[in-house]
Amino acid sequence: MLAKVFINRFTAPLIERLAFRWSSAWRDALASAIAAALAWILATHLLGHVHPVFAAISAVVCLAPGLPSHGKQAVGLMVGVATGILVGEAALWLPDSYPLLRIGFATFSAIAIAALYGLGPVVPIQAGVSAVLMLAVGPESAGVVRMLDVLVGAGVGLVFSQVLLTPNPIGIIDSSAKDLLEKLAAGFGKSLQALEDKDAGKAQNAVQIFSRAHDSLIALENGISMARNTARWTLRGRFVSREVKDIASRYERHAVRLYASALLFAEAFADALRKEEGPAPASLHERLANVASGCAAIANDSDRPILIPVSASERADAVSGPWQLCLQHLSTVESALLTFGFTTQSDAKSMAEKAKTQI
């Protein structure tokens, strides 16, 4: 029994992380495979290259998973290769009495020059590789021929990233935010069960659920960064760049606050149940159920949930200290949730009245 509990405790988060990584990477992996095959075919038929390995490799380098910007990667790849080829061509004029010294000097020069551009790691990496290839296999294979292959591969990568598979930057942020809200909904749901059963053990399980939501918070931060790069480096992103800027800055300010306040609430809630200092606040059950169902509703693209107003009696010292601390953190959670799609009763009434007047 203990072994089963131990396995479930440690394998469940691992499986969850692996599933998240797979869902984030498989589309780019498939696009890389298709683009590599297409670049090979184009280089073979248009350029007459028998084995256009560099064309296929360039497409993979441009579209591989985990890149913040596929378009920026493609531009950096072409710039880096061109720099390395030029430096390698110049290094061929040096005496070949000491070939290793010549390769070392050419590699250093290519990387140092490419680093001055400030275009990302792919530029100096490709510059150094190109310089080494120029001196190792000769300009016939690593010069103009390789540059043409790279242009084909990077061109295919740009078509895929800029036209065919351009992600929606707003969708990137929304999907990351929804994943965070799903984790929080599970945590608040477990807290609600603990309150109904008066079970401190379930409350402690809720703390663990909220702690695991930290991965979703990091994913949201990465999604915001990716959305900004998409808005900057893709044609589709340019059209919604202002909206992306507003949404990203709003979530960036409140996501950490939401996660931290939810975790603090869970810890305070577990502490209050464990100490048993007086009954739970009368409205806690309703507010917890509202927050849990509201987080799930936003994650599933349902209607905007309405926050339950805090009664004046509970703002005073009507409950014991541990429960009062619990309510304070829950109020902070509710305030942060307004950024993620919750609304107040007054705002809901005004929107309903406005809809009636329009009808």
Side-chain angles (χ1 to χ4, degrees), residues 19 47 66 69 154 172 191 195 202 219 226 292 319 324 328 336-337 351 355:
L47 304 178
S69 171
I172 294 173
S191 299
L195 179 63
K202 290 184 178 179
M226 186 180 300
V319 294
Q324 192 70 24
Q328 290 175 4
L337 283 172
M351 287 188 292

Side-chain angles (χ1 to χ4, degrees), residues 295-308:
C295 289
I298 296 175
N300 294 323
D301 291 325
S302 301
D303 295 334
R304 289 169 62 99
I306 301 174
L307 290 177
I308 297 176

Side-chain angles (χ1 to χ4, degrees), residues 88-132:
E89 286 278 6
L92 289 174
W93 292 89
L94 298 175
D96 58 355
S97 303
Y98 301 97
L100 294 181
L101 181 62
R102 185 168 66 172
I103 287 179
F105 176 77
T107 304
F108 170 79
S109 301
I111 294 176
I113 293 172
L116 298 177
Y117 304 152
L119 295 178
V122 68
V123 182
I125 290 172
Q126 290 297 325
V129 170
S130 297
V132 171

